Amino acid sequence: IYKNFARNMDHDLPQQPGSSSSSGSSESSNGQRRIVKMFNVSEAQVLLDSIPTDYGTCTDEEPDSDPDDPDFTPLPNPLPSQTRIDRLTVAAEAEDCGTAGDDEENCRPSGVHKWKKRTLDKRVQDFSKNEGPVEELFSGCHSPGQYFNTFFDNSIVDDLIFQTILYITQQERRVSTVTRQDILGFIGINIIMGYHVLPSYTHYWCEDPDVSVPFISSVLTQNRFSQILSNVHVNDNKNLDKNDKLSKIRPLIAKANSQFAKLYDVRRVQSVDESMVLFKGRSSIKQYCPMKPIKRGYKLWGKNGKENQKWNGFGLGESVVCEMVENLFGGGHEVYFDNFFNSVPLMDFLKEKKVSACGTIRSNRKGLPLLMKEKDLKKGEFDFRTAEDLAFFGWKDNRVVYVLSNFHGTDKCSVLRTQKDGSRMEVSCPMAIKDYNCNMGGVDKADMLCSLYGMDQKSRKWWHRLFFGIIDRMLVNSYVVHNKLEDKAIPLLLFRRDTKQTYLCLQTSDSLLEECIGQSLMKREADVKFVHKTKLSHLTATFKNAAACKVYLCYNANKQCFLTFHEVNNA
C-alpha cells in the first residue's frame, strides 16, 4: 500500500533501514526487498491529505498492477476527496463523543486550535439574575438558631428520628426510643464540643472540676449520648443501593444540596475546588492528598457519588466542573477553577454553553502551544498566545504560572508582591491572573470556617465524619446568610454559641419547641389500627412525647407493625 502511495505522490521510495525499527525492510521469497513502514497518527494524516483525488490513475509510466511483485496490494476504487474528509471528520467526532448514540449536546470538543501571538479584548457576558440569599425564605429569622433551623429544617430532624428508631428496632437493641428532644440535645452538645474541645467526649461528664462541663450533663447523660451516637442513622440499611458507596448517607447529602440551591441564589462569580473531610479509618472512598492541609479523608466536590456517563469523553476533573455548573449554562456566570480541572476542550465546551471560565492549567495539557522558557522570563514578565476566544498565559512570579481563559483579553495590570526583606514591590501581570487570585478562594474560606469550631467527633463508623461534616457546612452557610441579611455581623464563635443555646432551649421546653420548630412530628396516617402487647419476645418502639404515637409497636421478621404504622401517605 505504501508503494502505491509513493507512486501516486510521485515520490521516490525511501532507503530501507533495518527491520527491527518501526520503518524497515526484509527479503521476500523471490529475493526482492519488502517494505515495512509504520506511521504515527500525524504522519498518516499528512500522507492521506497528500493523496490526489484521482489516485486510482497512475501518475508515472508504471502499470497499475505489478504481477511480478507478490507483496503488491492494489488500491480500492477511488472516493471523492470530500467524501473522504467527511468520513475522517465523523470518525474523529465519534472518537471524542464515545459510543454511538450518546448525547451530542454534552460531547467533549476536540480542543484543536491555531495559536497566535495577537492581542485580544476581554469579553463580558450579560448577567441579570438575582444573587445572594432568597430573603423571603428568611423573613421570620432573627436569631442564629432560626437561620440554622431554616437549613437544618424539620424534615431532616424527622427523618433522623424515624431512621434511628428503625435501626434500633431492626437490630433488636434494648434501647429506649429516641425523641425529638434527644436529637436536638445531641446536635446542640456536638456544637458545644466544636468550640469547647476536650481529649475525649467522656470528659464532658467527668466529675473532676478541671474538665467537667455541668451544663452538658444537665442536657443528656453520658449513657444516653453514647446510645444516640451509636444508633443515629440517615437511611434504611435494608434498602441501600449497592452501586452507591455513599448510600448510607445519601438522603442527607441530597437534602443538603437541595436546601443550599433553594435558599441561596448563586453569585455571578463562582469557584470550583476540592474540599477534604478528615478521616483516618478504613474506607474504600478515603483519599490521600499530600498537598492538602487535611491529607487523608473524604474528598468533596459536590458531584454525585454514582458513576455518571452524561459528559461524553470528559475526564474526571472536567466532568466535575460540568456537573457543578450545569445549572449555570446560558446565565453569563464566571467560573474559576485550578489546574486539576482545566483543559482546552473544557474551555471550548463552557464557551459554547455561555459560561465564562478561567483557571490555572498544567503546561503539558494536550492542545496548548509552547511559550517562552522559564529561564528566559524575568519576574513580572509574561508570554501569551491566543486562539479564537481562548487566551493562554505564562507569567513569571517565583515560578511560571500558566492560566487559560475563554473570556479574558491580553491586557495587563499590576499587583503587589512581598519581597524577602518584607518590602512590597509592584509587578505587572495579566488581568486574568489577578481576577483568578481575587475570585478563587471561596471553597478554601469555607473549609477554614468549618475547621475553626467544627464537630470533630471521632467514630469507628466511616460515615459519621461525613454526617457531622455536612452539618458543619450547614452551620457555615447559615452563618454567611445571617451576616448578609442582619444589620450587624457577628463572629462565628458567637453564632455557634447562640445556635447551641437555641437548640438546648428547644430541647428542654415543649412550648418553645412547638413554637419555633413546628409540629411536623404529629400524627402520621396509618393503614392499620391494631397494637401488639408488649412481651419479652417483642422489641417495641414508641414516641414518648408525640401526641398521636403513644403506642408500642413491634418490629421483627414476622411482625413489622412499626413500619406499617409510621408510613406517611403522600396522597
Side-chain angles (χ1 to χ4, degrees):
I1 295 176
Y2 175 70
K3 191 174 182 180
N4 284 284
F5 288 164
R7 287 174 179 168
N8 285 279
M9 291 187 295
D10 199 17
H11 287 169
D12 294 331
L13 292 177
Q15 298 295 328
Q16 312 299 332
S19 59
S20 60
S21 63
S22 62
S23 174
S25 64
S26 62
E27 292 290 336
S28 62
S29 59
N30 56 5
Q32 295 180 348
R33 302 185 70 83
R34 183 176 62 191
I35 299 172
V36 180
K37 177 67 178 176
M38 301 297 293
F39 298 93
N40 58 32
V41 176
S42 59
E43 291 174 344
Q45 185 65 42
V46 172
L47 192 60
L48 289 172
D49 292 339
S50 61
I51 299 175
T53 58
D54 57 345
Y55 61 82
T57 304
C58 191
T59 58
D60 54 15
E61 297 179 357
E62 294 183 9
D64 290 343
S65 61
D66 188 358
D68 296 332
D69 188 357
D71 297 322
F72 180 84
T73 303
L75 288 172
N77 293 329
L79 293 171
S81 59
Q82 185 60 42
T83 304
R84 187 182 76 249
I85 293 174
D86 292 343
R87 290 189 176 184
L88 289 174
T89 305
V90 171
E93 291 176 353
E95 182 180 357
D96 288 336
C97 294
T99 59
D102 285 337
D103 187 2
E104 295 182 359
E105 248 182 59
N106 299 325
C107 180
R108 185 178 191 264
S110 63
V112 178
H113 296 278
K114 292 183 179 180
W115 298 88
K116 298 180 181 179
K117 191 167 185 177
R118 61 181 179 86
T119 59
L120 194 66
D121 295 330
K122 184 176 180 179
R123 299 155 310 282
V124 180
Q125 300 186 39
D126 295 334
F127 182 82
S128 58
K129 295 187 176 182
N130 296 326
E131 298 180 275
V134 183
E135 296 188 14
E136 54 268 22
L137 298 179
F138 296 95
S139 58
C141 298
H142 303 287
S143 66
Q146 291 174 333
Y147 278 95
F148 177 64
N149 288 337
T150 307
F151 284 90
F152 197 78
D153 62 5
N154 299 331
S155 62
I156 298 178
V157 177
D158 292 346
D159 289 339
L160 279 177
I161 298 171
F162 182 77
Q163 294 296 337
T164 302
I165 297 176
L166 179 61
Y167 176 74
I168 292 173
T169 54
Q170 286 175 343
Q171 299 298 317
E172 299 186 357
R173 296 182 176 180
R174 296 191 177 275
V175 177
S176 59
T177 187
V178 176
T179 64
R180 175 180 290 273
Q181 284 77 5
D182 291 334
I183 292 296
L184 295 178
F186 177 76
I187 299 297
I189 290 175
N190 277 282
I191 294 176
I192 296 176
M193 292 178 177
Y195 60 81
H196 191 147
V197 182
L198 293 178
S200 172
Y201 80 88
T202 59
H203 290 154
Y204 293 92
W205 288 269
C206 181
E207 295 182 357
D208 296 335
D210 57 333
V211 293
S212 65
V213 183
F215 180 74
I216 288 181
S217 60
S218 65
V219 177
L220 289 177
T221 64
Q222 179 181 337
N223 289 339
R224 190 56 175 164
F225 182 87
S226 301
Q227 288 175 355
I228 299 174
L229 182 63
S230 301
N231 294 287
V232 64
H233 258 67
V234 181
N235 203 357
D236 186 0
N237 285 350
K238 293 188 176 181
N239 295 322
L240 298 180
D241 185 0
K242 295 181 180 180
N243 296 323
D244 184 6
K245 292 186 177 182
L246 294 176
S247 182
K248 285 186 71 70
I249 200 171
R250 178 64 62 190
L252 182 60
I253 295 175
K255 184 64 177 178
N257 287 333
S258 174
Q259 290 290 89
F260 296 157
K262 180 180 71 173
L263 299 174
Y264 197 96
D265 294 326
V266 295
R267 298 184 298 117
R268 176 193 179 98
V269 179
Q270 296 290 302
S271 62
V272 178
D273 204 353
E274 307 112 333
S275 177
M276 294 291 292
V277 175
L278 177 65
F279 182 71
K280 297 182 180 179
R282 294 183 179 181
S283 176
S284 60
I285 59 176
K286 182 183 69 173
Q287 295 193 22
Y288 174 66
C289 301
M291 303 302 293
K292 295 288 184 180
I294 299 176
K295 294 177 171 51
R296 289 177 176 84
Y298 304 120
K299 181 185 288 188
L300 306 180
W301 46 35
K303 187 178 183 298
N304 194 301
K306 298 181 181 179
E307 186 177 358
N308 195 335
Q309 299 295 340
K310 182 176 182 179
W311 310 103
N312 304 319
F314 286 103
L316 175 62
E318 299 167 325
S319 299
V320 170
V321 174
C322 293
E323 187 78 17
M324 296 184 69
V325 304
E326 183 179 9
N327 61 331
L328 308 182
F329 288 168
H333 293 79
E334 296 179 13
V335 181
Y336 294 84
F337 38 83
D338 61 22
N339 57 20
F340 177 82
F341 308 94
N342 206 355
S343 68
V344 177
L346 176 62
M347 287 293 182
D348 291 334
F349 179 78
L350 295 179
K351 188 66 179 179
E352 293 174 2
K353 301 298 183 180
K354 296 183 179 180
V355 175
S356 302
C358 175
T360 56
I361 191 169
R362 298 168 186 174
S363 59
N364 58 354
R365 290 285 194 188
K366 186 177 179 180
L368 290 177
L370 294 177
L371 298 179
M372 293 178 61
K373 295 182 179 180
E374 182 174 356
K375 63 181 180 180
D376 297 330
L377 292 173
K378 298 180 181 179
K379 188 168 185 176
E381 295 181 344
F382 67 92
D383 192 16
F384 67 90
R385 296 290 186 275
T386 59
E388 300 174 1
D389 291 329
L390 300 184
F392 176 52
F393 302 91
W395 176 63
K396 180 69 174 294
D397 191 19
N398 294 329
R399 59 183 181 85
V400 176
V401 179
Y402 297 96
V403 172
L404 181 66
S405 174
N406 65 6
F407 71 100
H408 279 99
T410 56
D411 49 332
K412 62 180 180 179
C413 59
S414 59
V415 293
L416 295 176
R417 284 291 179 267
T418 304
Q419 306 302 306
K420 293 182 179 179
D421 57 358
S423 60
R424 305 274 284 176
M425 183 178 71
E426 191 176 81
V427 297
S428 62
C429 77
M431 181 62 73
I433 291 181
K434 183 176 181 179
D435 290 345
Y436 175 84
N437 290 333
C438 292
N439 299 309
M440 188 52 197
V443 177
D444 293 334
K445 184 175 182 180
D447 285 345
M448 181 269 293
L449 294 175
C450 288
S451 65
L452 287 178
Y453 312 107
M455 300 180 184
D456 190 17
Q457 186 64 258
K458 296 180 181 179
S459 175
R460 292 185 179 180
K461 295 185 177 181
W462 66 268
W463 61 272
H464 275 190
R465 284 287 189 177
L466 289 173
F467 173 75
F468 291 112
I470 293 172
I471 297 177
D472 271 332
R473 279 153 181 78
M474 286 185 172
L475 276 165
V476 168
N477 286 348
S478 57
Y479 167 72
V480 172
V481 173
H482 174 275
N483 284 352
K484 282 183 175 294
L485 297 182
E486 295 298 322
D487 297 333
K488 184 178 180 181
I490 62 175
L492 179 61
L493 177 59
L494 181 58
F495 180 87
R496 284 185 176 256
R497 292 184 63 193
D498 287 351
T499 303
K500 168 268 304 178
Q501 191 64 33
T502 301
Y503 262 63
L504 297 184
C505 288
L506 295 176
Q507 191 268 345
T508 56
S509 174
D510 290 339
S511 59
L512 189 59
L513 170 68
E514 294 179 359
E515 178 182 352
C516 297
I517 295 296
Q519 302 179 10
S520 61
L521 192 66
M522 288 298 167
K523 182 177 180 180
R524 296 175 181 248
E525 295 186 12
D527 296 330
V528 292
K529 301 296 184 180
F530 57 88
V531 177
H532 290 287
K533 293 182 179 179
T534 305
K535 297 181 180 180
L536 293 178
S537 60
H538 292 263
L539 195 68
T540 60
T542 179
F543 291 89
K544 288 183 177 180
N545 297 320
C549 297
K550 293 181 179 179
V551 292
Y552 290 89
L553 302 173
C554 59
Y555 186 98
N556 53 43
N558 299 322
K559 301 173 183 178
Q560 299 184 9
C561 309
F562 176 82
L563 283 178
T564 308
F565 188 85
H566 290 96
E567 283 181 352
V568 178
N569 189 357
N570 294 325

